[in-house]
PDB file of all heavy atoms in Angstrom:
ATOM      1  N   ASN Q   1       0.871  -1.127  -0.032  1.00 97.00           N
ATOM      2  CA  ASN Q   1      -0.019  -0.013  -0.034  1.00 97.00           C
ATOM      3  C   ASN Q   1       0.919   1.191  -0.048  1.00 97.00           C
ATOM      4  O   ASN Q   1       1.512   1.532   1.001  1.00 97.00           O
ATOM      5  CB  ASN Q   1      -0.913  -0.028   1.296  1.00 97.00           C
ATOM      6  CG  ASN Q   1      -1.788   1.201   1.317  1.00 97.00           C
ATOM      7  OD1 ASN Q   1      -1.780   2.037   0.445  1.00 97.00           O
ATOM      8  ND2 ASN Q   1      -2.440   1.317   2.401  1.00 97.00           N
ATOM      9  N   SER Q   2       0.980   1.881  -1.153  1.00 96.00           N
ATOM     10  CA  SER Q   2       1.873   3.087  -1.229  1.00 96.00           C
ATOM     11  C   SER Q   2       1.191   4.336  -0.741  1.00 96.00           C
ATOM     12  O   SER Q   2       1.831   5.430  -0.682  1.00 96.00           O
ATOM     13  CB  SER Q   2       2.225   3.364  -2.717  1.00 96.00           C
ATOM     14  OG  SER Q   2       1.147   3.801  -3.472  1.00 96.00           O
ATOM     15  N   THR Q   3      -0.007   4.245  -0.303  1.00 96.00           N
ATOM     16  CA  THR Q   3      -0.880   5.350   0.189  1.00 96.00           C
ATOM     17  C   THR Q   3      -1.648   6.023  -1.046  1.00 96.00           C
ATOM     18  O   THR Q   3      -2.605   6.791  -0.820  1.00 96.00           O
ATOM     19  CB  THR Q   3      -0.274   6.391   1.008  1.00 96.00           C
ATOM     20  OG1 THR Q   3       0.548   7.241   0.179  1.00 96.00           O
ATOM     21  CG2 THR Q   3       0.499   5.790   2.132  1.00 96.00           C
ATOM     22  N   THR Q   4      -1.221   5.691  -2.289  1.00 95.00           N
ATOM     23  CA  THR Q   4      -1.854   6.255  -3.478  1.00 95.00           C
ATOM     24  C   THR Q   4      -2.445   5.179  -4.416  1.00 95.00           C
ATOM     25  O   THR Q   4      -3.211   5.512  -5.264  1.00 95.00           O
ATOM     26  CB  THR Q   4      -0.968   7.177  -4.234  1.00 95.00           C
ATOM     27  OG1 THR Q   4       0.096   6.458  -4.733  1.00 95.00           O
ATOM     28  CG2 THR Q   4      -0.426   8.342  -3.366  1.00 95.00           C
ATOM     29  N   ASN Q   5      -2.046   3.894  -4.288  1.00 94.00           N
ATOM     30  CA  ASN Q   5      -2.387   2.929  -5.161  1.00 94.00           C
ATOM     31  C   ASN Q   5      -3.659   2.030  -4.815  1.00 94.00           C
ATOM     32  O   ASN Q   5      -4.079   1.201  -5.529  1.00 94.00           O
ATOM     33  CB  ASN Q   5      -1.198   1.941  -5.404  1.00 94.00           C
ATOM     34  CG  ASN Q   5      -0.731   1.176  -4.180  1.00 94.00           C
ATOM     35  OD1 ASN Q   5      -1.349   1.321  -3.099  1.00 94.00           O
ATOM     36  ND2 ASN Q   5       0.273   0.406  -4.273  1.00 94.00           N
ATOM     37  N   GLY Q   6      -4.202   2.296  -3.689  1.00 94.00           N
ATOM     38  CA  GLY Q   6      -5.490   1.696  -3.248  1.00 94.00           C
ATOM     39  C   GLY Q   6      -5.343   0.250  -2.752  1.00 94.00           C
ATOM     40  O   GLY Q   6      -6.353  -0.378  -2.512  1.00 94.00           O
ATOM     41  N   ARG Q   7      -4.104  -0.228  -2.636  1.00 96.00           N
ATOM     42  CA  ARG Q   7      -3.914  -1.622  -2.226  1.00 96.00           C
ATOM     43  C   ARG Q   7      -3.918  -1.757  -0.704  1.00 96.00           C
ATOM     44  O   ARG Q   7      -2.909  -2.068  -0.042  1.00 96.00           O
ATOM     45  CB  ARG Q   7      -2.661  -2.192  -2.819  1.00 96.00           C
ATOM     46  CG  ARG Q   7      -2.701  -2.166  -4.383  1.00 96.00           C
ATOM     47  CD  ARG Q   7      -1.589  -2.864  -4.951  1.00 96.00           C
ATOM     48  NE  ARG Q   7      -1.818  -2.962  -6.477  1.00 96.00           N
ATOM     49  CZ  ARG Q   7      -1.012  -3.559  -7.294  1.00 96.00           C
ATOM     50  NH1 ARG Q   7      -0.018  -4.295  -6.864  1.00 96.00           N
ATOM     51  NH2 ARG Q   7      -1.224  -3.495  -8.608  1.00 96.00           N
ATOM     52  N   THR Q   8      -5.112  -1.485  -0.048  1.00 96.00           N
ATOM     53  CA  THR Q   8      -5.196  -1.375   1.331  1.00 96.00           C
ATOM     54  C   THR Q   8      -5.166  -2.785   2.023  1.00 96.00           C
ATOM     55  O   THR Q   8      -5.262  -2.871   3.235  1.00 96.00           O
ATOM     56  CB  THR Q   8      -6.489  -0.727   1.691  1.00 96.00           C
ATOM     57  OG1 THR Q   8      -7.554  -1.297   1.118  1.00 96.00           O
ATOM     58  CG2 THR Q   8      -6.362   0.792   1.255  1.00 96.00           C
ATOM     59  N   GLN Q   9      -5.214  -3.774   1.222  1.00 97.00           N
ATOM     60  CA  GLN Q   9      -5.126  -5.221   1.801  1.00 97.00           C
ATOM     61  C   GLN Q   9      -3.647  -5.494   2.286  1.00 97.00           C
ATOM     62  O   GLN Q   9      -3.422  -6.536   2.938  1.00 97.00           O
ATOM     63  CB  GLN Q   9      -5.586  -6.258   0.810  1.00 97.00           C
ATOM     64  CG  GLN Q   9      -4.642  -6.487  -0.358  1.00 97.00           C
ATOM     65  CD  GLN Q   9      -4.857  -5.632  -1.541  1.00 97.00           C
ATOM     66  OE1 GLN Q   9      -5.307  -4.454  -1.405  1.00 97.00           O
ATOM     67  NE2 GLN Q   9      -4.677  -6.137  -2.835  1.00 97.00           N
ATOM     68  N   TYR Q  10      -2.756  -4.609   1.931  1.00 98.00           N
ATOM     69  CA  TYR Q  10      -1.418  -4.738   2.382  1.00 98.00           C
ATOM     70  C   TYR Q  10      -1.037  -3.698   3.349  1.00 98.00           C
ATOM     71  O   TYR Q  10      -1.511  -2.575   3.376  1.00 98.00           O
ATOM     72  CB  TYR Q  10      -0.437  -4.716   1.199  1.00 98.00           C
ATOM     73  CG  TYR Q  10      -0.601  -5.758   0.098  1.00 98.00           C
ATOM     74  CD1 TYR Q  10      -1.279  -5.481  -1.054  1.00 98.00           C
ATOM     75  CD2 TYR Q  10      -0.153  -7.040   0.288  1.00 98.00           C
ATOM     76  CE1 TYR Q  10      -1.470  -6.452  -2.046  1.00 98.00           C
ATOM     77  CE2 TYR Q  10      -0.416  -8.034  -0.600  1.00 98.00           C
ATOM     78  CZ  TYR Q  10      -1.005  -7.655  -1.865  1.00 98.00           C
ATOM     79  OH  TYR Q  10      -1.172  -8.721  -2.809  1.00 98.00           O
ATOM     80  N   PRO Q  11       0.050  -3.923   4.255  1.00 98.00           N
ATOM     81  CA  PRO Q  11       0.637  -2.899   5.058  1.00 98.00           C
ATOM     82  C   PRO Q  11       1.209  -1.687   4.215  1.00 98.00           C
ATOM     83  O   PRO Q  11       1.488  -1.882   2.975  1.00 98.00           O
ATOM     84  CB  PRO Q  11       1.691  -3.587   5.787  1.00 98.00           C
ATOM     85  CG  PRO Q  11       1.327  -5.011   5.835  1.00 98.00           C
ATOM     86  CD  PRO Q  11       0.716  -5.247   4.512  1.00 98.00           C
ATOM     87  N   VAL Q  12       1.380  -0.589   4.786  1.00 97.00           N
ATOM     88  CA  VAL Q  12       1.850   0.616   4.129  1.00 97.00           C
ATOM     89  C   VAL Q  12       3.366   0.550   3.936  1.00 97.00           C
ATOM     90  O   VAL Q  12       4.070   0.257   4.877  1.00 97.00           O
ATOM     91  CB  VAL Q  12       1.428   1.879   4.864  1.00 97.00           C
ATOM     92  CG1 VAL Q  12       2.163   3.133   4.355  1.00 97.00           C
ATOM     93  CG2 VAL Q  12      -0.052   2.059   4.885  1.00 97.00           C
ATOM     94  N   VAL Q  13       3.777   0.783   2.652  1.00 98.00           N
ATOM     95  CA  VAL Q  13       5.186   1.224   2.394  1.00 98.00           C
ATOM     96  C   VAL Q  13       5.008   2.525   1.706  1.00 98.00           C
ATOM     97  O   VAL Q  13       4.607   2.530   0.465  1.00 98.00           O
ATOM     98  CB  VAL Q  13       5.840   0.127   1.520  1.00 98.00           C
ATOM     99  CG1 VAL Q  13       7.264   0.644   1.129  1.00 98.00           C
ATOM    100  CG2 VAL Q  13       6.041  -1.155   2.226  1.00 98.00           C
ATOM    101  N   ALA Q  14       5.288   3.645   2.273  1.00 97.00           N
ATOM    102  CA  ALA Q  14       4.980   4.990   1.887  1.00 97.00           C
ATOM    103  C   ALA Q  14       5.950   5.425   0.789  1.00 97.00           C
ATOM    104  O   ALA Q  14       6.708   6.378   1.010  1.00 97.00           O
ATOM    105  CB  ALA Q  14       4.942   5.924   2.963  1.00 97.00           C
ATOM    106  N   ASP Q  15       5.994   4.770  -0.406  1.00 97.00           N
ATOM    107  CA  ASP Q  15       6.782   5.158  -1.530  1.00 97.00           C
ATOM    108  C   ASP Q  15       5.908   5.213  -2.780  1.00 97.00           C
ATOM    109  O   ASP Q  15       6.044   4.371  -3.637  1.00 97.00           O
ATOM    110  CB  ASP Q  15       8.000   4.128  -1.726  1.00 97.00           C
ATOM    111  CG  ASP Q  15       9.068   4.258  -0.652  1.00 97.00           C
ATOM    112  OD1 ASP Q  15       9.257   5.458  -0.248  1.00 97.00           O
ATOM    113  OD2 ASP Q  15       9.630   3.293  -0.182  1.00 97.00           O
ATOM    114  N   PRO Q  16       5.174   6.260  -2.943  1.00 96.00           N
ATOM    115  CA  PRO Q  16       4.359   6.343  -4.162  1.00 96.00           C
ATOM    116  C   PRO Q  16       5.147   6.584  -5.390  1.00 96.00           C
ATOM    117  O   PRO Q  16       6.252   7.202  -5.390  1.00 96.00           O
ATOM    118  CB  PRO Q  16       3.480   7.673  -3.839  1.00 96.00           C
ATOM    119  CG  PRO Q  16       3.546   7.895  -2.423  1.00 96.00           C
ATOM    120  CD  PRO Q  16       4.828   7.348  -2.012  1.00 96.00           C
ATOM    121  N   GLU Q  17       4.616   6.031  -6.475  1.00 95.00           N
ATOM    122  CA  GLU Q  17       5.356   6.159  -7.809  1.00 95.00           C
ATOM    123  C   GLU Q  17       5.092   7.461  -8.443  1.00 95.00           C
ATOM    124  O   GLU Q  17       3.915   7.992  -8.398  1.00 95.00           O
ATOM    125  CB  GLU Q  17       4.921   5.051  -8.678  1.00 95.00           C
ATOM    126  CG  GLU Q  17       5.727   4.921 -10.053  1.00 95.00           C
ATOM    127  CD  GLU Q  17       5.312   3.698 -10.815  1.00 95.00           C
ATOM    128  OE1 GLU Q  17       4.187   3.244 -10.717  1.00 95.00           O
ATOM    129  OE2 GLU Q  17       6.213   3.198 -11.524  1.00 95.00           O
ATOM    130  N   GLY Q  18       6.129   8.106  -9.061  1.00 94.00           N
ATOM    131  CA  GLY Q  18       5.838   9.319  -9.872  1.00 94.00           C
ATOM    132  C   GLY Q  18       6.971  10.332  -9.835  1.00 94.00           C
ATOM    133  O   GLY Q  18       7.932  10.118  -9.039  1.00 94.00           O
ATOM    134  N   PHE Q  19       6.902  11.336 -10.575  1.00 95.00           N
ATOM    135  CA  PHE Q  19       7.850  12.414 -10.695  1.00 95.00           C
ATOM    136  C   PHE Q  19       7.525  13.511  -9.617  1.00 95.00           C
ATOM    137  O   PHE Q  19       6.390  13.838  -9.372  1.00 95.00           O
ATOM    138  CB  PHE Q  19       7.851  13.000 -12.049  1.00 95.00           C
ATOM    139  CG  PHE Q  19       8.712  14.295 -12.193  1.00 95.00           C
ATOM    140  CD1 PHE Q  19      10.002  14.178 -12.508  1.00 95.00           C
ATOM    141  CD2 PHE Q  19       8.078  15.519 -12.006  1.00 95.00           C
ATOM    142  CE1 PHE Q  19      10.806  15.341 -12.580  1.00 95.00           C
ATOM    143  CE2 PHE Q  19       8.929  16.681 -12.194  1.00 95.00           C
ATOM    144  CZ  PHE Q  19      10.244  16.557 -12.457  1.00 95.00           C
ATOM    145  N   ASP Q  20       8.604  14.096  -9.031  1.00 95.00           N
ATOM    146  CA  ASP Q  20       8.377  15.189  -8.116  1.00 95.00           C
ATOM    147  C   ASP Q  20       9.649  16.180  -8.283  1.00 95.00           C
ATOM    148  O   ASP Q  20      10.801  15.656  -8.405  1.00 95.00           O
ATOM    149  CB  ASP Q  20       8.388  14.707  -6.688  1.00 95.00           C
ATOM    150  CG  ASP Q  20       7.709  15.714  -5.761  1.00 95.00           C
ATOM    151  OD1 ASP Q  20       7.149  16.738  -6.299  1.00 95.00           O
ATOM    152  OD2 ASP Q  20       7.741  15.464  -4.546  1.00 95.00           O
ATOM    153  N   LEU Q  21       9.386  17.465  -8.232  1.00 96.00           N
ATOM    154  CA  LEU Q  21      10.328  18.468  -8.191  1.00 96.00           C
ATOM    155  C   LEU Q  21      10.829  18.607  -6.738  1.00 96.00           C
ATOM    156  O   LEU Q  21      10.110  19.161  -5.954  1.00 96.00           O
ATOM    157  CB  LEU Q  21       9.824  19.728  -8.774  1.00 96.00           C
ATOM    158  CG  LEU Q  21      10.862  20.898  -8.976  1.00 96.00           C
ATOM    159  CD1 LEU Q  21      11.981  20.475  -9.915  1.00 96.00           C
ATOM    160  CD2 LEU Q  21      10.162  22.180  -9.371  1.00 96.00           C
ATOM    161  N   ASN Q  22      11.902  18.123  -6.418  1.00 97.00           N
ATOM    162  CA  ASN Q  22      12.396  18.064  -5.063  1.00 97.00           C
ATOM    163  C   ASN Q  22      12.827  19.402  -4.579  1.00 97.00           C
ATOM    164  O   ASN Q  22      12.637  19.847  -3.420  1.00 97.00           O
ATOM    165  CB  ASN Q  22      13.493  16.978  -4.884  1.00 97.00           C
ATOM    166  CG  ASN Q  22      13.554  16.366  -3.510  1.00 97.00           C
ATOM    167  OD1 ASN Q  22      12.524  16.071  -2.945  1.00 97.00           O
ATOM    168  ND2 ASN Q  22      14.785  16.235  -2.964  1.00 97.00           N
ATOM    169  N   GLN Q  23      13.669  20.099  -5.465  1.00 98.00           N
ATOM    170  CA  GLN Q  23      14.139  21.373  -5.138  1.00 98.00           C
ATOM    171  C   GLN Q  23      14.164  22.350  -6.403  1.00 98.00           C
ATOM    172  O   GLN Q  23      14.348  21.897  -7.528  1.00 98.00           O
ATOM    173  CB  GLN Q  23      15.628  21.399  -4.624  1.00 98.00           C
ATOM    174  CG  GLN Q  23      15.712  20.643  -3.280  1.00 98.00           C
ATOM    175  CD  GLN Q  23      17.068  20.889  -2.632  1.00 98.00           C
ATOM    176  OE1 GLN Q  23      17.303  21.889  -1.822  1.00 98.00           O
ATOM    177  NE2 GLN Q  23      18.004  20.064  -2.973  1.00 98.00           N
ATOM    178  N   ALA Q  24      13.908  23.585  -6.217  1.00 98.00           N
ATOM    179  CA  ALA Q  24      14.004  24.619  -7.259  1.00 98.00           C
ATOM    180  C   ALA Q  24      14.101  25.901  -6.551  1.00 98.00           C
ATOM    181  O   ALA Q  24      13.209  26.473  -6.072  1.00 98.00           O
ATOM    182  CB  ALA Q  24      12.757  24.558  -8.149  1.00 98.00           C
ATOM    183  N   PHE Q  25      15.327  26.487  -6.464  1.00 98.00           N
ATOM    184  CA  PHE Q  25      15.507  27.644  -5.560  1.00 98.00           C
ATOM    185  C   PHE Q  25      16.575  28.665  -6.136  1.00 98.00           C
ATOM    186  O   PHE Q  25      17.239  28.408  -7.024  1.00 98.00           O
ATOM    187  CB  PHE Q  25      16.058  27.230  -4.223  1.00 98.00           C
ATOM    188  CG  PHE Q  25      17.295  26.482  -4.230  1.00 98.00           C
ATOM    189  CD1 PHE Q  25      18.610  27.151  -4.241  1.00 98.00           C
ATOM    190  CD2 PHE Q  25      17.366  25.094  -4.204  1.00 98.00           C
ATOM    191  CE1 PHE Q  25      19.774  26.551  -4.358  1.00 98.00           C
ATOM    192  CE2 PHE Q  25      18.620  24.430  -4.157  1.00 98.00           C
ATOM    193  CZ  PHE Q  25      19.760  25.128  -4.253  1.00 98.00           C
ATOM    194  N   VAL Q  26      16.419  29.832  -5.706  1.00 97.00           N
ATOM    195  CA  VAL Q  26      17.371  30.955  -5.882  1.00 97.00           C
ATOM    196  C   VAL Q  26      17.986  31.326  -4.628  1.00 97.00           C
ATOM    197  O   VAL Q  26      17.168  31.521  -3.569  1.00 97.00           O
ATOM    198  CB  VAL Q  26      16.667  32.200  -6.553  1.00 97.00           C
ATOM    199  CG1 VAL Q  26      17.670  33.211  -6.782  1.00 97.00           C
ATOM    200  CG2 VAL Q  26      16.032  31.849  -7.864  1.00 97.00           C
ATOM    201  N   LYS Q  27      19.308  31.354  -4.600  1.00 98.00           N
ATOM    202  CA  LYS Q  27      20.073  31.604  -3.354  1.00 98.00           C
ATOM    203  C   LYS Q  27      20.878  32.937  -3.576  1.00 98.00           C
ATOM    204  O   LYS Q  27      21.631  33.058  -4.505  1.00 98.00           O
ATOM    205  CB  LYS Q  27      20.930  30.490  -2.932  1.00 98.00           C
ATOM    206  CG  LYS Q  27      21.651  30.661  -1.668  1.00 98.00           C
ATOM    207  CD  LYS Q  27      22.455  29.496  -1.240  1.00 98.00           C
ATOM    208  CE  LYS Q  27      21.601  28.357  -0.919  1.00 98.00           C
ATOM    209  NZ  LYS Q  27      22.421  27.120  -0.460  1.00 98.00           N
ATOM    210  N   TYR Q  28      20.694  33.803  -2.583  1.00 97.00           N
ATOM    211  CA  TYR Q  28      21.471  35.142  -2.651  1.00 97.00           C
ATOM    212  C   TYR Q  28      22.332  35.135  -1.388  1.00 97.00           C
ATOM    213  O   TYR Q  28      21.815  35.097  -0.250  1.00 97.00           O
ATOM    214  CB  TYR Q  28      20.522  36.235  -2.646  1.00 97.00           C
ATOM    215  CG  TYR Q  28      21.172  37.649  -2.514  1.00 97.00           C
ATOM    216  CD1 TYR Q  28      21.724  38.224  -3.629  1.00 97.00           C
ATOM    217  CD2 TYR Q  28      21.182  38.294  -1.315  1.00 97.00           C
ATOM    218  CE1 TYR Q  28      22.354  39.538  -3.523  1.00 97.00           C
ATOM    219  CE2 TYR Q  28      21.821  39.552  -1.128  1.00 97.00           C
ATOM    220  CZ  TYR Q  28      22.353  40.089  -2.236  1.00 97.00           C
ATOM    221  OH  TYR Q  28      22.927  41.405  -2.156  1.00 97.00           O
ATOM    222  N   ALA Q  29      23.653  35.294  -1.466  1.00 96.00           N
ATOM    223  CA  ALA Q  29      24.598  35.337  -0.355  1.00 96.00           C
ATOM    224  C   ALA Q  29      25.409  36.642  -0.400  1.00 96.00           C
ATOM    225  O   ALA Q  29      25.915  37.075  -1.429  1.00 96.00           O
ATOM    226  CB  ALA Q  29      25.619  34.145  -0.455  1.00 96.00           C
ATOM    227  N   SER Q  30      25.328  37.367   0.753  1.00 95.00           N
ATOM    228  CA  SER Q  30      26.053  38.545   0.915  1.00 95.00           C
ATOM    229  C   SER Q  30      26.722  38.572   2.345  1.00 95.00           C
ATOM    230  O   SER Q  30      25.978  38.731   3.349  1.00 95.00           O
ATOM    231  CB  SER Q  30      25.172  39.750   0.704  1.00 95.00           C
ATOM    232  OG  SER Q  30      25.847  40.986   0.960  1.00 95.00           O
ATOM    233  N   GLY Q  31      28.015  38.487   2.375  1.00 94.00           N
ATOM    234  CA  GLY Q  31      28.688  38.388   3.731  1.00 94.00           C
ATOM    235  C   GLY Q  31      28.181  37.213   4.551  1.00 94.00           C
ATOM    236  O   GLY Q  31      27.967  36.146   4.073  1.00 94.00           O
ATOM    237  N   PRO Q  32      27.712  37.555   5.815  1.00 96.00           N
ATOM    238  CA  PRO Q  32      27.215  36.522   6.680  1.00 96.00           C
ATOM    239  C   PRO Q  32      25.748  36.015   6.411  1.00 96.00           C
ATOM    240  O   PRO Q  32      25.264  35.143   7.060  1.00 96.00           O
ATOM    241  CB  PRO Q  32      27.382  37.075   8.034  1.00 96.00           C
ATOM    242  CG  PRO Q  32      27.198  38.524   7.820  1.00 96.00           C
ATOM    243  CD  PRO Q  32      27.795  38.804   6.517  1.00 96.00           C
ATOM    244  N   VAL Q  33      25.107  36.793   5.483  1.00 97.00           N
ATOM    245  CA  VAL Q  33      23.649  36.569   5.382  1.00 97.00           C
ATOM    246  C   VAL Q  33      23.389  35.827   3.981  1.00 97.00           C
ATOM    247  O   VAL Q  33      23.919  36.079   2.887  1.00 97.00           O
ATOM    248  CB  VAL Q  33      22.843  37.815   5.328  1.00 97.00           C
ATOM    249  CG1 VAL Q  33      21.439  37.567   4.965  1.00 97.00           C
ATOM    250  CG2 VAL Q  33      23.087  38.664   6.600  1.00 97.00           C
ATOM    251  N   THR Q  34      22.569  34.729   4.071  1.00 98.00           N
ATOM    252  CA  THR Q  34      22.026  34.005   2.893  1.00 98.00           C
ATOM    253  C   THR Q  34      20.610  34.002   2.894  1.00 98.00           C
ATOM    254  O   THR Q  34      19.954  33.690   3.927  1.00 98.00           O
ATOM    255  CB  THR Q  34      22.583  32.582   2.904  1.00 98.00           C
ATOM    256  OG1 THR Q  34      24.076  32.570   2.953  1.00 98.00           O
ATOM    257  CG2 THR Q  34      22.144  31.857   1.654  1.00 98.00           C
ATOM    258  N   VAL Q  35      20.042  34.252   1.686  1.00 98.00           N
ATOM    259  CA  VAL Q  35      18.574  34.319   1.460  1.00 98.00           C
ATOM    260  C   VAL Q  35      18.301  33.228   0.384  1.00 98.00           C
ATOM    261  O   VAL Q  35      18.842  33.307  -0.692  1.00 98.00           O
ATOM    262  CB  VAL Q  35      17.976  35.606   1.095  1.00 98.00           C
ATOM    263  CG1 VAL Q  35      16.440  35.511   0.884  1.00 98.00           C
ATOM    264  CG2 VAL Q  35      18.362  36.680   2.118  1.00 98.00           C
ATOM    265  N   THR Q  36      17.416  32.331   0.675  1.00 98.00           N
ATOM    266  CA  THR Q  36      16.979  31.257  -0.191  1.00 98.00           C
ATOM    267  C   THR Q  36      15.555  31.251  -0.405  1.00 98.00           C
ATOM    268  O   THR Q  36      14.769  31.241   0.613  1.00 98.00           O
ATOM    269  CB  THR Q  36      17.481  29.832   0.217  1.00 98.00           C
ATOM    270  OG1 THR Q  36      18.821  29.877   0.661  1.00 98.00           O
ATOM    271  CG2 THR Q  36      17.273  28.817  -0.791  1.00 98.00           C
TER     272      THR Q  36
END
């Protein structure tokens, strides 16, 4: 049961299939300060 595949007759393994954008960021660093 991945929590999205509907196979509730099995215990959960929370690894759904599919694409995901994990990170997409802009980082600005000036001296001791960083803004992300």
Side-chain angles (χ1 to χ4, degrees):
N1 178 6
S2 72
T3 73
T4 64
N5 62 5
R7 300 189 175 187
T8 55
Q9 70 270 34
Y10 297 105
V12 168
V13 176
D15 287 326
E17 188 173 29
F19 171 86
D20 201 9
L21 185 62
N22 208 43
Q23 296 194 89
F25 60 83
V26 178
K27 183 177 293 185
Y28 173 83
S30 178
V33 177
T34 301
V35 180
T36 307

